[in-house]
Amino acid sequence: MNTPTLASDLNLCLCHSCGKSCDMSGRPLFCERCGAPLHARKTNSLSRSWAFLLTSLVFYIPANVLPVMNTSMLGNGADSTIMSGVLEFWQHGAWDIALIIFIASIAVPGVKFAVLSLLLVTAQRGSNWARKERSRLYRFIELIGYWSMLDVIVVALVAALVKFHGLADIEPRVGILFFGLVVVFTMLSAMSFDPRLIWENPTQREVANGIASH
């Protein structure tokens, strides 16, 4: 079977901004159509992805330990963490809201941590294991990243509804800030990861890094 021709064989580089195939013969630094910087690969992809992922893991601890909201009713107030909030919604019959917050706050971040760690470790070791499946996992991580802020939106809507009906008063606490940072840094980690590393062996990566450094 013939090996397909690669863009690097034709000395071409795809602009990440406008999608134009740029001729790299004259070593241009910017796209001639949109002026965006040209990169054969995402610069320091693994290092930046690891840094963002570890930062999000650090922020995940206070996001779950510190209270995310305070609910006061008839003069009595109580702080709630993400997990205690899920349990309270469940016990009061709002199982749908409890399920949404649990999936968005506990399950989705856990899946993202596990999948990103798997992608980074296998790419760093140049593994040939399940490349097609790992590519699908990366696209899955990109897809669920758009819904990571769902629980924050749900909490905001619940707080607005409660205040509107005058049943109680809900105020955000510092834990919700850390959870927002977890979402942002996991998204940055996924965006920094170059999925083409899944299909490269260490020798190809050294060549690509050499091209990217120019």
Side-chain angles (χ1 to χ4, degrees):
M1 185 174 68
N2 294 329
T3 303
T5 304
L6 303 177
S8 57
D9 299 331
L10 301 175
N11 211 15
L12 295 175
C13 177
L14 189 67
C15 175
H16 291 241
S17 179
C18 68
K20 178 180 173 58
S21 297
C22 300
D23 185 3
M24 301 299 289
S25 302
R27 296 181 179 277
L29 299 177
F30 302 96
C31 174
E32 62 182 15
R33 180 163 67 181
C34 68
L38 293 173
H39 301 288
R41 288 290 187 271
K42 293 181 180 178
T43 309
N44 299 322
S45 171
L46 290 176
S47 301
R48 289 192 294 124
S49 296
W50 271 120
F52 288 133
L53 180 62
L54 293 176
T55 304
S56 65
L57 279 168
V58 170
F59 285 144
Y60 192 60
I61 298 173
N64 282 276
V65 174
L66 297 176
V68 295
M69 63 181 178
N70 177 275
T71 308
S72 60
M73 182 179 294
L74 302 177
N76 296 320
D79 289 337
S80 300
T81 62
I82 291 177
M83 200 60 208
S84 65
V86 170
L87 294 175
E88 286 180 13
F89 278 119
W90 188 274
Q91 290 170 353
H92 286 82
W95 59 268
D96 47 353
I97 296 177
L99 196 59
I100 290 174
I101 295 178
F102 177 80
I103 292 174
S105 304
I106 307 295
V108 169
V111 170
K112 291 176 75 173
F113 290 144
V115 172
L116 283 172
S117 299
L118 174 68
L119 292 175
L120 287 169
V121 169
T122 52
Q124 199 162 16
R125 299 180 63 179
S127 173
N128 297 328
W129 172 73
R131 286 174 161 171
K132 192 172 182 179
E133 288 74 14
R134 283 189 284 148
S135 294
R136 288 175 178 167
L137 280 176
Y138 176 72
R139 291 196 294 272
F140 174 69
I141 288 297
E142 281 194 317
L143 178 65
I144 64 175
Y146 298 118
W147 301 94
S148 298
M149 282 288 188
L150 186 60
D151 66 325
V152 179
I153 296 173
V154 169
V155 171
L157 287 175
V158 170
L161 286 172
V162 168
K163 286 192 174 185
F164 178 76
H165 291 290
L167 300 175
D169 189 31
I170 295 181
E171 294 181 351
R173 287 292 185 262
V174 68
I176 200 70
L177 173 63
F178 283 103
F179 183 77
L181 290 173
V182 170
V183 173
V184 169
F185 278 103
T186 51
M187 290 181 70
L188 288 174
S189 178
M191 292 168 63
S192 300
F193 181 73
D194 192 338
R196 289 171 291 190
L197 294 175
I198 297 172
W199 299 92
E200 291 179 344
N201 57 44
T203 305
Q204 289 175 312
R205 188 177 308 162
E206 289 174 3
V207 173
N209 290 335
I211 294 173
S213 63
H214 289 297

